[in-house]
Every structure is written in structure tokens, then in C-alpha cells.
Amino acid sequence: MNAGSRKPADPRFIAGIAIAFASATSLSFITTFARMAYDAGTTPWTLVLLRALFGLASSLAVVLILRSDLRVPRALWGSVLLTGIGLTMISVGYMSSVAFIPVSLAAILFYTFPLIVLGAKMVAARRLPGPRRGGAYALAFIGLTLALGTDIGGMDWRGIALAMMAAVGAAVMYLAGERAMKTIGTPQIALFTHMVAVPVMAIATFSTDSFVTPSATVGWWAILAAGTCYLIGISTQFPALKLAGAAPTALVSNAEPLVSLVVAALVLGERLNGAQYVGGALVIIAVMIGTWLMRNDDR
């Protein structure tokens, strides 16, 4: 049984789903810490670059400590490159999109990536998704729309294009990472992914004069916290992919924006309205339905 067809009855699949949720939860804290860093004077590009450097340094340290084999089979070079490209597309696209469109709209567009993953896998399998699985994904998207809200008055095609670029990048990273993880270990794939992403982010940051350090100590602590959450979130995504597969992991990741809203409410004092609570409930229901459907391999 491969990762893509693993069922919830399999303990490895259950572990993969749990790790995927832990990854989504960790990544969900980044937006709150990012807001704290921005309030202290830094910029999105600065945060993206610094957290990527943090990820690169940390993954390199792990590889050196474990003395991991860095040899990559020639057949997987493309997959490793694609994981790095996907991460770059996420960071550049998502963080830049909010310069042109509201954060809520950018988040909704970005979190269409599970649907892209599902579509890609269905095309590869040459079959259409079953109505129940398709309904689970649709319910998750409706829930995200309600939970995050929209502001159609701020639409700008550049922001929409950048957010969708990030969504495609997330799908690319999930699918390529799933293939690479069948042979390459988590520390190695994390290192290679950042080796591809960091130079691109550095060029983009410095070429636009966007590197601005925080003016207050709290900003540096926020950057460190964001980097730590980023490292945990990214590094746990790969074992989740290996154990549960791309489509289930992507579905569970729908919990990330919901947790972000809750954390923002608790830490920053942002309050959720009734529609957002309803949307959050729909996301949770969709995740439960989707995971249950995996048991019968309903596609």
C-alpha cells in the first residue's frame, strides 16, 4: 500500500493525519507573530527571508548532526527541485498578494490548494472524485469562506494572481514532496527545499530594498517565534505526506486558517463573528468526513 492510498485504519495513516494537524497548527501561529513583527517595524519580505534562513540553518544542523546521506537519486532531482519551487511560490505569492488585496481574500484563494491537489491526483489516476469526497472539499472551502470573510471591494487582479500562484505552489510542494519522501529523509528534503528557496527570496528582498529590521526588541522575538513555528510546520509536513499522502494532508491543512483566527482572537484581541464560528465548524466537519471517506478509499 502506498502513501496515496493509505486508509485511516492503518496506524501510520492516523499518525500522518495527527502530524499534519500539528503542522497546520504550528503554521497557524505565524500570522499572529508576523503581525507583531510588522507592528515593530519590519516588512513581510524581511520576515519571509529570515524565517527561510532559519529553516535552512536548522535543517543543515540536523543533517550534520545525524550525518544524513545527502545523495539524491537522479530520478528524484526533479521532485526535490519542485518542492523548493513550491515553497518559493508560497512565500513570494502569499506574502506579496496582501499588498494588493485584503488578507481574507488572499487566504481564501490560497487555501484552494487542497482542491488543486485533489484535481491533480484525480487526473493522474484518470478518474473523477466521488460525490462524497468532492462534497467534503466543497464544504471545507465554504467553511473557509465563512470563517475568513471577504471584501470584494478591494479586489485587484495582481493580488488574485499572486495568491493563486501561492496556491499552485502549495499543491506542487505537496505532490512533489510526497514522491520525494518515499526515498529521501525528512532532514534532507527540508534542507534541499530551503537551498532552492532562500536564494530566490534573498534576491527578491534585496533587489526591492525590502529588508527592514524591527525597531523594537519584541519584533525580534516575534521573528524568532515565527521562524520556530515555520520550522516545525514545514518539517512536519514531509512526514505527514509520507504517512498519509498528499490529498489527506492537504485536507487536514484546512484547519490552519481556522486556528489562525482563534490564535489572533486570543493573542491580538481580534474577535470572531457568528458567521466565522459557523465556517469553522464546517471546516472541522469537512475534515472529519474526508478522513472517514479515506477508509473506503472513496475517490
Side-chain angles (χ1 to χ4, degrees):
M1 181 181 300
N2 58 40
S5 60
R6 227 181 284 279
K7 298 178 175 61
D10 184 346
R12 288 170 58 83
F13 182 94
I14 296 175
I17 292 297
I19 293 172
F21 184 76
S23 174
T25 300
S26 181
L27 291 173
S28 69
F29 279 81
I30 294 176
T31 51
T32 295
F33 289 126
R35 179 57 184 270
M36 295 170 64
Y38 300 156
D39 289 344
T42 194
T43 64
W45 280 105
T46 303
L47 178 60
V48 167
L49 176 60
L50 290 178
R51 73 178 187 180
L53 287 170
F54 186 81
L56 176 62
S58 300
S59 57
L60 177 60
V62 172
V63 166
L64 293 177
I65 291 173
L66 297 179
R67 298 182 180 180
S68 302
D69 186 359
L70 294 179
R71 290 175 296 181
V72 179
R74 186 181 298 271
L76 291 180
W77 286 1
S79 295
V80 171
L81 178 62
L82 284 174
T83 58
I85 292 174
L87 177 61
T88 304
M89 292 172 66
I90 294 171
S91 299
V92 175
Y94 196 20
M95 297 304 294
S96 299
S97 66
V98 296
F100 303 102
I101 58 177
V103 173
S104 58
L105 177 59
I108 291 171
L109 293 173
F110 173 65
Y111 281 98
T112 60
F113 78 84
L115 303 179
I116 299 174
V117 171
L118 176 61
K121 292 182 77 69
M122 293 303 100
V123 169
R126 296 185 179 181
R127 65 176 71 182
L128 295 174
R132 289 178 295 178
R133 173 175 282 187
Y137 276 84
L139 186 63
F141 181 72
I142 293 172
L144 285 173
T145 301
L146 291 174
L148 294 169
T150 59
D151 180 9
I152 61 175
M155 285 189 180
D156 186 308
W157 72 268
R158 292 171 296 180
I160 293 174
L162 286 166
M164 290 308 302
M165 181 182 79
V168 172
V172 168
M173 190 178 76
Y174 269 84
L175 293 169
E178 180 185 35
R179 181 171 185 267
M181 281 298 298
K182 293 177 181 178
T183 303
I184 305 173
T186 300
Q188 296 95 313
I189 192 65
L191 174 62
F192 295 141
T193 298
H194 285 92
M195 287 176 64
V196 174
V198 167
V200 177
M201 296 177 186
I203 292 173
T205 300
F206 290 105
S207 65
T208 57
D209 294 325
S210 299
F211 189 81
V212 181
T213 58
S215 57
T217 303
V218 66
W220 285 109
W221 283 110
I223 289 177
L224 178 61
T228 301
C229 290
Y230 171 76
L231 176 62
I232 295 173
I234 293 296
S235 62
T236 51
Q237 279 184 346
F238 295 111
L241 287 168
K242 185 174 184 178
L243 294 171
T249 301
L251 182 61
V252 172
S253 295
N254 279 298
E256 181 183 331
L258 172 61
V259 177
S260 294
L261 288 172
V262 174
V263 173
L266 295 176
V267 178
L268 301 177
E270 297 180 1
R271 292 292 178 260
L272 307 179
N273 58 40
Q276 289 176 315
Y277 282 117
V278 171
L282 291 178
V283 171
I284 295 174
I285 292 172
V287 171
M288 294 175 61
I289 293 175
T291 304
W292 178 79
L293 288 174
M294 302 294 177
R295 179 178 305 165
N296 299 316
D297 201 21
D298 176 18
R299 299 177 186 273

